[in-house]
Amino acid sequence: MRTQLLAAGAAAVACVANGASISEASQPRHLFSRQSLSNATTSNTTLPTSPPFYPSPWMDGSGDWGDAYEKAKAFVSQLTLVEKVNLTTGVGWESEACVGNTGSIPRLGFQSLCMQDSPLGIRFSDYNSAFPAGGTVAASWDRQVWYDRGYAMGAEHNGKGVDVQLGPVVGPLGRAPAGGRGWEGFSPDPFLSGQAVAQTVQGMQKAGIIACTKHYILNEQEHFRQAGESAGFGFNITESLSSNIDDKTLHELYLWPFADAVRAGTGSVMCSYNQINNSYGCQNSHLMNGILKGELGFQGFVMSDWAAQHAGVATTLAGLDMTMPGDTAFDSGVAYWGGNLTLSVINGTVPEWRLDDMVTRIMAAYYYVGRDAPGNVKPVNFNSWSRDEYGYQHAIAKAGYGKINERVDVRRHHAKIIRDHAVRSTVLLKNVDGALPLSGKEKMTAVFGDDAGDNTAGPNGCSDHGCDNGTLAMGWGSGTASFPYLISPLTAIQNEIAKVEGRVEWVTNGWDLTSAQALAAQAEVAITFVNADSGEGFISVDGNIGDRNNLTLWKNGDALIRNVSAVCNNTIVVVHSVGPVILDDYAKNPNITAIVWAGLPGEQTGNAIADILYGRVNPGGKLPFTIGASREDYGADVMYEPNNDADAPQDQFSEGIFIDYRAFDRKNIQPTYEFGFGLSYTTFEYSHIQVAAHTVPAYTPNEGMTAPAMQYGNSSINIEDWQYPADFAPINYYIYPWINGSDAKTASGDANYGTEGSFPAGSQDGSAQPKVRAGGAPGGNPRLYDVVYTIVALVKNTGSIPGDEVAQLYVNLGGLQDAPKILRGFDRITIAPGATVQFTVQLCRRDVMNWNTAIQDWEITADPKKVYVGGSSRNLPLSADLPSLSYA
Ligand code: NOJ
């Protein structure tokens, strides 16, 4: 009959056949020692490993998940074994309308769950909006912007019938500025990222869809994230790169925003392609069972990244709850789960309580966001694989011909907020003698750069936006959306000048320096648009395999700026980029009178930059990363060459917590523009800092035992009952939950069935378990979030026009290993000219704690602690000591 259960890679699925895929501890050790924390090729040493954590914690409805948990239990109790399995397993790549779909439960009228990219809008769709990227709205430092953007994106996904929006992103955090997908996330600062992700998750889920916070964790670069993909680019590796990290850095830096996402209620988390300490993200029991579900008390479900599942039973026991897109490799027609998961429950290799927990978590997320509200769930009304109105519902099988795109317009009023958000995220980096804003009455305006104009192939002309033609308003890869239109800067500037019947001319070909100079020499103002692009590792653009090869400008941007500014002493540079670019020469060049960083602003990019350039809005954005004078100044970089022969490349995160501004501060390197920096058309002054310590309950570790694991319903687990139905006509490539034959060994397709391997210790144990010390509720121990200090300061607008100031607070934790300062508070405040307002920060206990690896918990060290307040990470005129706390 069907061959789908006979996957080559499925050997470890139905029984405990392959020790290497079951227990992290038994994975091969290779060439690195913990001591030699360098990325240089070395040999004969031991690789870092990831400790085991079993059993997989079962959800308990803690935090505000109680109601959702009860509803989920009631729902799951009605399900049969295969119906449960169907909710955990994708139906295969391109088998249904969305980038990922689970099976359905026809008996209960429960439709397949639809997972759709992306973190900035709907991918592979139409009549949807293209929002500014995460790394761009981070520059707004505005919680309302993040919430509203999340809500608007969630509402659009909901309108298309999507259940799970595959975003937001906080991994990559942004360890290396050249990392390809940093722009999908928010900021290399964990606090800023954490605040942004929390608001985004809450906004999205308020709109009735499930957020999927991704990629968990340490997915910090594109090179080597998957062996197969790397082979396509000529690299010979057999396993994904391993991000090797210590426990303290993990907690204090990369895990931080995930904790905020969990605390904000994210319904799902996507595990990542890479390995972490030589255990794959989607079968790393320490990170999924121990930290995410145990310590952070995550109540939702863990979904694999697409084809990031590398084993069956091993991933199930390590805490994976849903596999996407469901097939082992895209369009292979075979699966680690599906029928193999059914079989593994029947033969006892996966305890029934574990499957029940997986499905309960999925359904709890569904209820938690209110997907069961009347009218919320609707049939998916678009198809990812074709923009045609009619086509195949099951694209890969070419089956189910009919209407596949209803062309439902879900955009509402979003163009307005997109423009507003893009404006609020624009950062003014340089402005000499009021060069900006422009009056619009300049005698002659010249515009330069490919980045000013349109992509001649159209706004969606390159597949997954994998090119850099015309103005750059999003990066490339799965983290993209289709543009409904794209207002280029040139169009917007022309509209501006046409209004006053002025004169504007342009040269958009960045290589035509002769024409550019000839025009620039006549101009009263020369606005030069430049960019730098990056994206996901399955696409290479101009030799950049996802990650950027350098931090310089694309499309001859540097030569263009130099040539234009050589002949025009009022050159304004506008940068659209995925992250930091080298601007040091331009910062110092007197002919360059203004520099603006506008990030990746989405569909309204031109209108938004015109609002800033022509002064309709006073800029208030601040840099969410550091712009250094050279890439070497940053604490870490991308690994471009494998360093472990054909085995998994070993990427040592030996810089610890010292990335971005923490690296510059530690080494006392002067950046071009520091983290948190941004100018306004007005000016601000800080004064009168005051600190109040609160009397709070002492921090108490989470203690005691959990309840035992539960099983829901009493479905048969008899193999005879779960055979492919006799009259069933399977769709090609589709992944089903049934079993093919009643002899388990034959059905498994595993020659070693029942003869090899062992379970990781404790993995089958459903009895009450000791609680994780730093845990207790979603986000970790609730005592971490007690407000322990209130700090206030005064901020005065000393100029003559209203403006927004992002006031910032940094903490020094006092220890020798601590960063000189870390961001722990901010607020974007609108201040009238001459007015003074109070900036208030409430510090939580976690904000002043360090992770203690010995006790495996947070602690307030005895080191003296200080706070700093001001307008950027290097402009902090106010400071105060933090008094010690007294406990109630
Ligand atoms: C792989 C990407 O890493 C992930 O972010 C995305 O959601 C999936 N592909 C689905 O497209």
Side-chain angles (χ1 to χ4, degrees):
M1 208 166 125
R2 291 189 34 86
T3 55
Q4 72 180 36
L5 300 179
L6 307 177
V13 175
C15 68
V16 191
N18 180 343
S21 62
I22 290 291
S23 150
E24 290 112 340
S26 62
Q27 290 197 358
R29 312 270 191 279
H30 300 276
L31 306 174
F32 271 94
S33 84
R34 285 172 182 284
Q35 290 76 39
S36 81
L37 291 177
S38 111
N39 282 329
T41 304
T42 181
S43 59
N44 297 325
T45 47
T46 309
L47 287 182
T49 56
S50 190
F53 187 105
Y54 298 98
S56 187
W58 33 93
M59 78 170 292
D60 59 7
S62 68
D64 57 358
W65 284 74
D67 288 350
Y69 182 41
E70 292 308 319
K71 285 185 187 168
K73 285 195 284 191
F75 184 85
V76 175
S77 299
Q78 314 166 64
L79 303 185
T80 66
L81 176 58
V82 288
E83 287 169 342
K84 290 175 185 173
V85 167
N86 234 14
L87 287 186
T88 67
T89 303
V91 297
W93 180 242
E94 299 169 308
S95 279
E96 278 289 355
C98 304
V99 296
N101 285 83
T102 64
S104 57
I105 306 177
R107 183 176 67 89
L108 300 177
F110 189 87
Q111 71 182 46
S112 151
L113 296 172
C114 160
M115 330 286 148
Q116 192 68 11
D117 294 308
S118 79
L120 60 65
I122 310 173
R123 183 186 183 203
F124 295 153
S125 174
D126 50 18
Y127 300 94
N128 59 278
S129 308
F131 291 81
T136 300
V137 291
S140 73
W141 298 62
D142 188 329
R143 294 176 178 86
Q144 194 68 48
V145 164
W146 300 327
Y147 182 90
D148 291 346
R149 173 177 171 273
Y151 183 84
M153 293 194 302
E156 293 202 6
H157 279 83
N158 201 347
K160 291 280 183 185
V162 173
D163 295 279
V164 183
Q165 181 183 348
L166 301 173
V169 170
V170 286
L173 183 69
R175 174 183 182 239
R181 298 182 76 182
W183 57 273
E184 289 188 46
F186 298 103
S187 163
D189 181 81
F191 184 84
L192 183 55
S193 263
Q195 297 289 305
V197 78
Q199 295 296 328
T200 308
V201 162
Q202 287 184 344
M204 284 165 63
Q205 297 195 158
K206 184 74 184 171
I209 51 98
I210 300 169
C212 180
T213 304
K214 65 190 189 180
H215 308 81
Y216 186 72
I217 191 170
L218 302 174
N219 191 168
E220 295 292 325
Q221 66 168 55
E222 294 306 286
H223 280 75
F224 319 128
R225 63 181 191 151
Q226 293 189 95
E229 183 177 276
S230 296
F233 293 112
F235 295 107
N236 174 24
I237 54 167
T238 51
E239 304 289 346
S240 298
L241 169 140
S242 176
S243 297
N244 298 335
I245 193 152
D246 64 274
D247 190 31
K248 186 172 157 72
T249 305
L250 177 75
H251 277 86
E252 294 186 4
L253 191 61
Y254 296 98
L255 186 66
W256 186 282
F258 281 101
D260 288 316
V262 171
R263 186 154 184 262
T266 188
S268 64
V269 166
M270 186 187 290
C271 53
S272 58
Y273 283 127
N274 55 292
Q275 302 192 67
I276 303 99
N277 294 336
N278 293 291
S279 172
Y280 273 102
C282 294
Q283 68 188 73
N284 189 313
S285 66
H286 175 66
L287 283 160
M288 292 193 294
N289 285 344
I291 293 191
L292 184 59
K293 293 181 175 176
E295 186 182 317
L296 297 186
F298 176 53
Q299 300 289 303
F301 61 97
V302 181
M303 174 199 303
S304 73
D305 199 342
W306 269 232
Q309 187 189 26
H310 293 273
V313 171
T315 59
T316 323
L317 298 178
L320 184 69
D321 302 304
M322 181 187 280
T323 176
M324 280 292 141
D327 33 16
T328 53
F330 287 4
D331 301 331
S332 62
V334 293
Y336 289 114
W337 283 359
N340 281 324
L341 179 56
T342 307
L343 191 56
S344 64
V345 173
I346 287 171
N347 72 16
T349 48
V350 168
E352 271 185 88
W353 58 257
R354 176 70 195 107
L355 175 63
D356 286 357
D357 183 55
M358 292 155 70
V359 193
T360 308
R361 285 172 175 276
I362 293 166
M363 289 311 300
Y366 182 93
Y367 291 118
Y368 184 76
V369 304
R371 281 208 70 62
D372 57 328
N376 209 16
V377 169
K378 44 195 86 60
V380 175
N381 54 39
F382 72 104
N383 190 292
S384 298
W385 318 113
S386 167
R387 293 273 51 78
D388 294 341
E389 195 172 346
Y390 287 83
Y392 293 110
Q393 177 65 26
H394 314 295
I396 183 66
K398 293 199 168 36
Y401 191 83
K403 192 163 186 184
I404 53 170
N405 282 301
E406 304 282 345
R407 312 222 193 279
V408 177
D409 194 330
V410 292
R411 290 172 292 173
R412 306 182 190 185
H413 62 295
H414 297 160
K416 238 174 104 188
I417 67 166
I418 288 170
R419 178 171 178 168
D420 177 53
H421 292 179
V423 169
R424 294 174 81 79
S425 307
T426 305
V427 186
L428 180 62
L429 295 173
K430 176 177 181 181
N431 195 17
V432 180
D433 296 335
L436 288 179
L438 301 169
S439 68
K441 308 231 169 67
E442 290 74 21
K443 185 137 190 178
M444 149 63 160
T445 301
V447 176
F448 299 100
D450 185 68
D451 184 68
D454 294 318
N455 180 352
T456 51
N460 301 307
C462 307
S463 169
D464 276 318
H465 302 273
C467 65
D468 181 28
N469 298 336
T471 197
L472 183 69
M474 62 178 69
W476 74 73
S478 67
T480 56
S482 313
F483 288 109
Y485 50 74
L486 180 56
I487 310 290
S488 73
L490 182 54
T491 300
I493 291 171
Q494 280 207 77
N495 290 343
E496 210 70 43
I497 303 295
K499 268 195 290 201
V500 295
E501 300 198 356
R503 178 178 168 218
V504 56
E505 292 195 33
W506 57 90
V507 175
T508 52
N509 179 351
W511 279 271
D512 187 356
L513 300 173
T514 312
S515 303
Q517 278 212 335
L519 186 66
Q522 309 166 44
E524 185 174 334
V525 57
I527 315 176
T528 308
F529 287 85
V530 290
N531 71 31
D533 200 358
S534 72
E536 191 175 344
F538 69 94
I539 296 174
S540 167
V541 176
D542 207 10
N544 297 265
I545 306 171
D547 305 309
R548 279 186 286 167
N549 290 335
N550 50 50
L551 303 184
T552 54
L553 298 170
W554 291 35
K555 295 290 182 112
N556 214 27
D558 288 294
L560 184 64
I561 295 174
R562 277 197 300 274
N563 277 270
V564 167
S565 61
V567 295
C568 176
N569 66 3
N570 189 20
T571 299
I572 289 168
V573 173
V574 178
V575 182
H576 289 118
S577 74
V578 287
V581 287
I582 304 300
L583 298 174
D584 215 46
D585 287 349
Y586 317 135
K588 294 173 185 148
N589 182 331
N591 280 0
I592 296 175
T593 48
I595 305 178
V596 179
W597 184 79
L600 306 171
E603 67 187 39
Q604 290 282 329
T605 177
N607 290 333
I609 196 67
D611 286 344
I612 294 287
L613 294 177
Y614 293 96
R616 276 187 292 277
V617 186
N618 187 355
K622 302 247 181 164
L623 282 180
F625 50 75
T626 303
I627 295 189
S630 83
R631 78 183 295 176
E632 290 73 31
D633 291 349
Y634 290 83
D637 212 335
V638 168
M639 175 189 281
Y640 294 97
E641 292 295 330
N643 63 351
N644 194 12
D645 300 325
D647 289 332
Q650 301 291 310
D651 197 2
Q652 309 291 2
F653 284 37
S654 49
E655 71 286 346
I657 60 162
F658 294 95
I659 64 168
D660 200 74
Y661 69 90
R662 301 158 183 233
F664 285 76
D665 287 353
R666 178 169 66 158
K667 296 193 193 137
N668 210 5
I669 299 171
Q670 181 62 40
T672 307
Y673 297 113
E674 72 268 20
F675 176 84
F677 176 77
L679 299 168
S680 161
Y681 296 151
T682 183
T683 47
F684 302 96
E685 201 175 86
Y686 287 77
S687 65
H688 292 92
I689 188 168
Q690 281 183 331
V691 176
H694 302 284
T695 304
V696 288
Y699 183 77
T700 40
N702 187 36
E703 283 169 347
M705 303 293 283
T706 69
M710 300 278 286
Q711 272 174 231
Y712 304 121
N714 57 356
S715 170
S716 153
I717 56 161
N718 181 347
I719 194 167
E720 302 291 349
D721 292 335
W722 304 121
Q723 299 297 309
Y724 271 82
D727 54 352
F728 186 74
I731 298 163
N732 242 344
Y733 300 101
Y734 220 82
I735 305 300
Y736 295 102
W738 293 296
I739 295 172
N740 192 5
S742 52
D743 174 58
K745 180 167 179 170
T746 316
S748 76
D750 178 2
N752 296 320
Y753 185 88
T755 61
E756 262 189 49
S758 60
F759 296 109
S763 60
Q764 306 258 315
D765 183 358
S767 67
Q769 298 294 313
K771 291 183 175 167
V772 175
R773 182 184 161 124
N781 191 324
R783 290 265 85 96
L784 292 172
Y785 300 95
D786 291 333
V787 174
V788 292
Y789 297 103
T790 299
I791 294 117
V792 294
L794 297 181
V795 190
K796 181 173 184 190
N797 181 344
T798 48
S800 55
I801 58 166
D804 282 9
E805 170 67 339
V806 178
Q808 299 160 46
L809 178 141
Y810 295 79
V811 175
N812 174 251
L813 293 171
L816 286 176
Q817 316 222 317
D818 289 316
K821 53 182 159 332
I822 50 180
L823 181 74
R824 283 294 188 258
F826 62 85
D827 202 4
R828 180 169 177 146
I829 317 169
T830 302
I831 314 178
T836 299
V837 299
Q838 184 171 291
F839 165 53
T840 306
V841 171
Q842 299 205 304
L843 286 182
C844 293
R845 195 188 311 250
R846 182 181 65 146
D847 294 329
V848 292
M849 294 176 111
N850 288 93
W851 180 253
N852 182 322
T853 57
I855 61 168
Q856 285 293 294
D857 207 346
W858 295 95
E859 65 170 2
I860 299 183
T861 64
D863 302 315
K865 306 194 192 311
K866 244 177 132 84
V867 290
Y868 302 88
V869 168
S872 82
S873 66
R874 296 230 166 172
N875 174 16
L876 298 165
L878 310 180
S879 64
D881 294 330
L882 284 178
S884 6
L885 292 170
S886 48
Y887 299 110

